[in-house]
Amino acid sequence: MSNSLPSKLDINSPRFQRNKKSLVSLLATMSDEQEVIRQGGGAKAIDAQHKKNRLTVRERLALLLDPDAPFIELGVYAAFGMYEEWGGAPAASVVTGLGRVCGRLVMVIANDATVKAGAFFPMTAKKVIRAQTIALENRIPTIYLVDSSGIFLPLQEDVFPDQDDFGRVFRNNAVMSAHNIPQITAIMGMCVAGGAYLPVMTDTVLMTEGSGLFLAGPALVQAAIGQKVDAEELGGAAMHAEISGTVDFKEPSDESCIERIRLLVDKLGHPKRAVFDAVPYDAQKDAPLYAAEELYGFLDSDPERAATNTYDVREIIARLVDRSEFAEYRAGYGRTLVCGYARIGGYAVGIVANQKEHQTLTDAHGARRTEFGGVIYAESSEKAARFIIDCNQSLIPLVFLHDVNGFMVGRDAEQSGIIRAGAKMVSAVSNSVVPKISVILGGSFGAGHYAMCGKAYDPRFIFAWPTARYAVMSGASAANTLVEVRVRQLERNGHAITEEERKQIFDEIKSTYDAQADPRYGAARLWLDAILDPADTREALITALEAASMNPDVAPFNPGAMQT
């Protein structure tokens, strides 16, 4: 019996061609934006780094990572459009991502010294902590390339004290060590003040000549205790290698330091893998039956048209899973959510996906009704909750594909028990113990975002397409609601509103809301780990599933008190 999904996609249809053209244009814009981000502090700052005989962060990563393996950069849009009053902080002055060193999957966390000397902005701390959290949850060996002046002092109140601020980085170092996650740190520039604890709390410490490691620099030491001492004597590589005994390897250059890191990673042991099922995988034989580039034509990148966009989500699944094989669960029931079993890169997965095609149903009395695509109804909630429970019982990781407007509302929905059914799905997602990976394809609005494993529900990874929209509701819906509130306020104050004024208020609110729903806005604030080219989604999922399989520990599953 074949479970291969058939495809009815017409790549020559006007809508497909319009969507593809629009998305390709958006991808080109985002590629240009990312190229600027990857320049860090710009040409002058790069030249200043080279004059110190130091490589830039991306030059270091080019030497560190295996050249023929993909690097999934996480948080490239972090701090995008933020801190403009301070000149900006491209990529939040740190590069994080999943790459390979000597064939081994690793997390890299590397300061960009061309951006404010690698200083920690509020989003820098959050980005480092997110990378550490991913490494901790998945037991991924982690490499730190340190070149940072420490906290960006003008914003210290937003960097220093809270639970998810700077101090959490060192707490995570200790916790990762306790979980036997290898951590290797190379000091390749400045490492000062509280930041000096990071390398010393990891397993192996390397340091290049000309770098500095100290709790307080020479100027602060003189101000604090009146002692005059130069930087090399205070915290140079020779001092720490020969006197304090703090560093394990002293290296003459960035190049030799990176070569040493690769030699160390090459000798790491291989811990026990997770119990999730995986079969041998051939990238050619097990590829989907349909081209990944066809994913460009399904979703409209224009928020106005996207609201009415419909498509069969099975077409997208067919372009993500091995051999396009998908065993659908309860295919005839709760049809606005599609659930089923597949493999991605050989890894067994359960998929929960919003169905965007409208569904015509016939009830027990022969009456016909339509369920709107992208809306979660009581039956689909019930089905998804049970499917998620089954995946946990069977130790099958979950992949969520979002394009959701929210839960159904109205008299019929309330009488069907939508709140109770929705609570059951949210509870199943909340208590799930198998790895969860979310991909926001289109809209991810309201409580539907929560039920589909939004950021608050601990997905191991959360990705988005450029077509994603991420908010309480769509811009048009929010604007329509808020316009009425604004109009009533003005009318109570005796101001009669003209249609032109009403439209102006609507356009202002919608413009603000649409900007905040843009995936780049969410990625800037680390609500997303990465914005993916749709054609790269499968590769990202395979890497994420490999990462998840590195953690052998799965907690006992307890679904809690479920609504019945």
Side-chain angles (χ1 to χ4, degrees):
M1 181 181 68
S2 173
N3 286 319
S4 294
L5 290 167
S7 178
K8 299 178 182 178
L9 179 66
D10 180 4
I11 63 173
N12 296 313
S13 72
R15 190 178 76 172
F16 181 94
Q17 290 298 324
R18 183 191 68 203
N19 288 351
K20 180 179 179 180
K21 182 179 179 180
S22 176
L23 181 54
V24 168
S25 175
L26 178 56
L27 284 168
T29 297
M30 295 179 68
S31 177
D32 291 342
E33 289 171 347
Q34 292 178 36
E35 182 60 32
V36 172
I37 290 169
R38 292 189 173 103
Q39 292 300 311
K44 285 186 177 180
I46 292 171
D47 186 54
Q49 182 79 349
H50 288 159
K51 286 179 178 177
K52 297 174 187 174
N53 293 319
R54 296 174 187 162
L55 301 175
T56 66
V57 63
R58 295 189 183 274
E59 290 168 342
R60 289 166 177 169
L61 291 178
L63 291 177
L64 175 67
L65 300 172
D66 295 350
D68 298 326
F71 174 57
I72 298 181
E73 185 169 351
L74 305 174
V76 68
Y77 273 103
F80 182 67
M82 300 171 68
Y83 312 125
E84 296 298 331
E85 66 274 32
W86 303 105
S93 76
V94 65
V95 179
T96 65
L98 292 171
R100 294 189 184 277
V101 175
C102 300
R104 299 287 295 267
L105 187 66
V106 299
M107 175 68 76
V108 294
I109 300 173
N111 300 115
D112 185 351
T114 70
V115 180
K116 302 291 189 297
F120 270 66
F121 287 76
M123 292 309 302
T124 315
K126 288 175 173 53
K127 183 172 175 178
V128 171
I129 291 165
R130 176 57 183 162
Q132 289 181 316
T133 299
I134 291 172
L136 179 58
E137 290 179 337
N138 298 289
R139 306 292 193 267
I140 306 171
T142 301
I143 298 170
Y144 305 87
L145 305 183
V146 178
D147 193 350
S148 171
S149 60
I151 288 175
F152 186 65
L153 292 178
L155 297 176
Q156 67 85 26
E157 66 175 303
D158 297 318
V159 185
F160 175 69
D162 210 349
Q163 184 179 21
D164 59 348
D165 286 344
F166 195 53
R168 190 78 172 184
V169 173
F170 319 129
R171 175 264 184 195
N172 286 347
N173 290 139
V175 173
M176 290 168 69
S177 182
H179 283 85
N180 297 319
I181 301 169
Q183 297 178 86
I184 299 172
T185 301
I187 302 164
M188 309 180 82
M190 290 298 102
C191 184
V192 301
Y197 284 110
L198 186 153
V200 183
M201 296 187 72
T202 62
D203 303 330
T204 306
V205 184
L206 303 88
M207 190 170 180
T208 59
E209 293 178 4
S211 296
L213 171 66
F214 26 66
L215 289 178
L220 184 56
V221 167
Q222 184 173 357
I225 65 173
Q227 185 180 74
K228 290 186 178 182
V229 59
D230 65 35
E232 186 62 32
E233 183 183 1
L234 182 65
M239 191 284 288
H240 281 303
E242 299 166 14
I243 299 175
S244 77
T246 302
V247 304
D248 304 309
F249 297 93
K250 182 185 74 169
E251 299 295 337
S253 65
D254 283 9
E255 291 84 353
S256 65
C257 186
I258 289 168
E259 184 179 357
R260 178 79 67 183
I261 294 171
R262 288 183 57 85
L263 290 171
L264 292 168
V265 172
D266 185 52
K267 294 168 179 60
L268 293 176
H270 297 271
K272 183 172 64 174
R273 306 288 283 197
V275 293
F276 312 120
D277 188 65
V279 298
Y281 164 70
D282 185 291
Q284 291 184 325
K285 292 181 181 178
D286 297 321
L289 300 178
Y290 315 105
E293 289 72 21
E294 292 175 352
L295 292 169
Y296 292 158
F298 287 100
L299 282 86
D300 201 313
S301 58
D302 181 272
E304 293 290 334
R305 294 193 299 262
T308 58
N309 202 41
T310 62
Y311 58 88
D312 185 350
V313 75
R314 297 179 191 87
E315 295 275 8
I316 288 179
I317 294 170
R319 288 157 179 81
L320 296 179
V321 301
D322 295 358
R323 299 176 300 280
S324 301
E325 292 179 353
F326 181 66
E328 188 167 351
Y329 175 86
R330 296 188 185 178
Y333 182 74
R335 300 206 305 253
T336 62
L337 277 175
V338 172
C339 303
Y341 302 99
R343 290 187 184 275
I344 299 177
Y347 295 97
V349 296
I351 296 174
V352 180
N354 299 112
Q355 175 59 281
K356 287 293 286 185
E357 278 191 337
H358 303 322
Q359 303 295 309
T360 301
L361 308 176
T362 303
D363 66 19
H365 305 290
R368 293 167 67 84
R369 76 178 193 278
T370 298
E371 290 190 345
F372 299 105
V375 177
I376 303 176
Y377 290 77
E379 298 93 338
S380 40
S381 299
E382 296 268 4
K383 177 176 80 171
R386 179 54 194 252
F387 178 72
I388 291 165
I389 290 171
D390 285 355
C391 286
N392 276 271
Q393 294 283 72
S394 303
L395 295 174
I396 300 173
L398 286 157
V399 175
F400 293 83
L401 303 178
H402 298 221
D403 196 351
V404 58
N405 297 327
F407 285 91
M408 190 57 188
V409 297
R411 181 193 61 198
D412 293 344
E414 298 293 356
Q415 291 180 357
S416 74
I418 186 64
I419 297 175
R420 184 181 70 247
K424 188 181 294 187
M425 183 177 175
V426 170
S427 179
V429 172
S430 302
N431 290 308
S432 179
V433 295
V434 296
K436 296 169 291 189
I437 302 167
S438 285
V439 185
I440 303 176
L441 311 178
S444 191
F445 298 120
H449 171 75
Y450 301 151
M452 291 296 293
C453 193
K455 184 71 179 292
Y457 292 79
D458 298 325
R460 298 284 183 93
F461 297 89
I462 182 165
F463 302 122
W465 284 5
T467 47
R469 290 292 178 270
Y470 196 173
V472 173
M473 62 182 74
S474 69
S477 297
N480 281 322
T481 301
L482 294 173
V483 161
E484 293 306 317
V485 173
R486 183 86 62 85
V487 166
R488 285 197 296 270
Q489 288 173 339
L490 291 170
E491 288 177 342
R492 281 197 298 269
N493 293 327
H495 182 74
I497 298 295
T498 67
E499 281 304 311
E500 184 178 349
E501 288 174 322
R502 178 186 285 268
K503 183 179 185 303
Q504 183 179 356
I505 294 170
F506 176 89
D507 290 343
E508 287 175 359
I509 295 172
K510 184 177 180 300
S511 175
T512 299
Y513 223 84
D514 283 343
Q516 292 176 354
D518 188 290
R520 286 165 289 193
Y521 186 92
R525 289 150 182 82
L526 297 177
W527 302 341
L528 304 168
D529 292 319
I531 301 175
L532 302 176
D533 181 326
D536 296 335
T537 306
R538 176 174 161 84
E539 186 65 44
L541 288 173
I542 291 172
T543 301
L545 289 163
E546 179 187 353
S549 74
M550 296 171 72
N551 184 352
D553 299 326
V554 183
F557 177 55
N558 179 0
M562 301 288 286
Q563 290 288 337
T564 58

